[in-house]
Amino acid sequence: MGSALVTIVTVLVVKALGTMAAGADASAKVIERSGYKWFSLIIAVLFVLFTVLMCISIKEKSTVDMESPSVGDMFKALLRNDQAVIMVIAIVLINTALYTTSNLTIYFFKYDFGGAAAWEGQYTLFNTAGGGFQILSMMILFPVLRKFMNSLKIMYTSFAMSFLGYVVLLLISISNASNVMLLLIPAFLIMSALGMMNVCLTIFLANTCDYGELKNGRRDESVVFSMQTFVVKLSSGLAALFASLILQFTKISELSKLEEIVLASDASRTGLRFSMTLIPMVLMVVAIILFKRRYVLTDEKMEEIQRELAAKKA
């Protein structure tokens, strides 16, 4: 939800800044470039300002000396926990799939689905709805499903929903439909699935801490959950790389250099449509196969592990 809101706000602010700087009579491309320039400058200044304020105003009060693990120690602790490794790989694959689609969606609306006349409004609606579906699925849909099935079954259900969502998105895009409301169907399926997956993955990561404590004799919660942040950033980087390569391959990047926004050629549009759906689908399939074959921490297994840990501590 947060990333969707950030994207929406960025688009609106960039357009406003570009219009003020370049003038309302300037071309769309000039407004966009000018807006991004000033937006980037403002963000850079605010980043430095807030960082300095934080360093000045926050004082560390703790006097306890603790040995901080090095990056090497963190990776060693992770590699000793095979279930945590599986979860890290699954998170990278799932998030890379989603971020790849997210990175390409704006180009899909701009040079394919919406075009010069209406792409901003349609893109904002799609992103807003998707973010809403994601947060509501975490708050409402997951608790409802949890009454009827365990977390593993919810994970597999979420995968099926996301896969179906990508299929629907591909079918809508290749049908040359122009009604943005149709895109809310795959937005619901994909983003609701992602919301529930995020909850499940957090639960499964917590399970690996108990597993690691029993297997290795030490509890590495800080290492495991700090790796979650790392792999999310890694996924963002990989998705950005994939998106840039796709834009080069489909020649969409060449369109972004034009002064006016125009629709892409049929070949470019086809390449973009298949790339933003089929590549994420492949990544999702690899993730779920790996997860199903290697992840062993079922509810029954976790009850057994917790009993053994309790017996050791007694």
Side-chain angles (χ1 to χ4, degrees), residues 225-246:
F225 281 98
S226 64
M227 288 301 297
Q228 184 180 26
T229 303
F230 169 76
V231 297
V232 169
K233 299 300 182 183
L234 175 61
S235 302
S236 299
L238 290 174
L241 174 62
F242 291 158
S244 64
L245 293 176
I246 291 167

Side-chain angles (χ1 to χ4, degrees), residues 73-85:
D73 293 334
M74 293 175 62
F75 277 99
K76 288 178 182 177
L78 178 67
L79 293 175
R80 287 195 296 264
N81 189 331
D82 59 292
Q83 293 300 291
V85 172

Side-chain angles (χ1 to χ4, degrees), residues 78-79 81-97 155 201 205 227-228 230-232 234-235 238 283-284 286-291 294:
L78 178 67
L79 293 175
N81 189 331
D82 59 292
Q83 293 300 291
V85 172
I86 295 301
M87 290 310 308
V88 165
I89 296 174
I91 292 173
V92 169
L93 291 171
I94 291 171
N95 284 323
T96 301
M155 182 69 178
L201 292 173
L205 269 180
M227 288 301 297
Q228 184 180 26
F230 169 76
V231 297
V232 169
L234 175 61
S235 302
L238 290 174
L283 293 174
M284 293 287 290
V286 173
I288 206 67
I289 291 176
L290 176 67
F291 179 81
R294 298 296 183 180

Side-chain angles (χ1 to χ4, degrees), residues 129-205:
F133 293 145
Q134 180 182 355
I135 198 69
L136 289 175
S137 70
M138 299 169 69
M139 296 173 59
I140 300 174
L141 190 55
F142 180 86
V144 170
L145 292 180
R146 192 65 180 84
K147 296 179 180 180
F148 307 101
M149 58 184 72
N150 58 34
S151 299
L152 280 173
K153 290 182 179 179
I154 294 178
M155 182 69 178
Y156 297 137
T157 300
S158 301
F159 164 74
M161 286 178 59
S162 64
F163 194 86
L164 177 61
Y166 276 116
V167 172
V168 174
L169 178 59
L170 178 60
L171 293 177
I172 291 175
S173 64
I174 64 178
S175 68
N176 291 320
S178 58
N179 189 348
V180 69
M181 301 304 292
L182 291 175
L183 293 178
L184 298 186
I185 299 174
F188 169 77
L189 292 170
I190 296 172
M191 298 307 293
S192 295
L194 175 69
M196 292 191 292
M197 280 184 182
N198 284 337
V199 178
C200 291
L201 292 173
T202 302
I203 294 172
F204 299 151
L205 269 180

Side-chain angles (χ1 to χ4, degrees), residues 290-302:
L290 176 67
F291 179 81
K292 186 174 180 60
R293 290 185 178 180
R294 298 296 183 180
Y295 185 77
V296 299
L297 301 181
T298 61
D299 289 351
E300 294 76 15
K301 181 66 174 178
M302 287 308 303

